[in-house]
Amino acid sequence: AQKVTQAQTEISVVEKEDVTLDCVYETRDTTYYLFWYKQPPSGELVFLIRRNSFDEQNEISGRYSWNFQKSTSSFNFTITASQVVDSAVYFCALISNSGYALNFGKGTSLLVTP
Amino acid sequence: DTAVSQTPKYLVTQMGNDKSIKCEQNLGHDTMYWYKQDSKKFLKIMFSYNNKELIINETVPNRFSPKSPDKAHLNLHINSLELGDSAVYFCASSQLTGGGNTIYFGEGSWLTVV
């Protein structure tokens, strides 16, 4: 069975603060993929990143960075110098290589205030 | 050009009615999905089609019937709507089935049953 846990339900920060969204996963598969999606207030789901289980290199994209650690089964997402436009619900998701659908965490609602 | 488009975006209807949500993708993908997001924002797979063939049919009531006339379209028809069907329905697509493929979502269809 696969499971994704996002323990932080809601986070509130002030603009320019750094914030880390936690994601812990469970799977028995050796090959799997982890994703992050952003759902802004307008409602659409925006793909942010995909990472496979054999690539533990951290990734940075502008103010966004991801830390993948297989030893702790975590795939955390950090936003540096947060902005109001980062306010959204962020979902972590997992799928095995042979899987047919994403297993989503319950999401973390991030509010960035001016 | 929208990659995955679904219509209508908003739908308010009475209990007992039958309604359809249409989805089209112009990415040339072989696999399409329907996901449901409940009032607590939890996302769960409903159906998956690969080249017009059903792959996944989660424990969804028979009142929900997907139809894929071609691999670029996956429509969702719902019979005898119930209050509990109120949710956001997301269409999505990926190049192929399996974890190595990024799943791209449409903008969602907000269904309200009154």
Side-chain angles (χ1 to χ4, degrees), chain A residues 33 37 39 50 97 99-100 102, chain B residues 35 37 56 97 99-100 102-103:
Chain A
Y33 295 81
Y37 286 86
Q39 186 174 35
R50 183 187 80 208
N97 191 45
Y100 294 111
L102 289 167
Chain B
Y35 280 80
Q37 186 174 43
I56 299 174
T97 305
T102 297
I103 299 176

Side-chain angles (χ1 to χ4, degrees), chain A residues 33 35 37 39 41-45 47 50 89 91 95-106, chain B residues 9 33 35 37 40-43 45 48 55-56 90 97-107 110:
Chain A
Y33 295 81
F35 294 75
Y37 286 86
Q39 186 174 35
S42 49
E44 70 271 25
L45 280 165
F47 164 74
R50 183 187 80 208
V89 180
F91 292 95
I95 185 172
S96 65
N97 191 45
S98 57
Y100 294 111
L102 289 167
N103 289 289
F104 281 90
K106 293 188 176 181
Chain B
K9 183 162 184 175
Y33 312 82
Y35 280 80
Q37 186 174 43
K40 295 184 178 180
K41 298 270 188 184
F42 185 59
L43 282 152
I45 183 72
S48 173
I55 301 174
I56 299 174
F90 284 96
T97 305
N101 298 276
T102 297
I103 299 176
Y104 296 95
F105 287 83
E107 295 187 338
W110 273 251

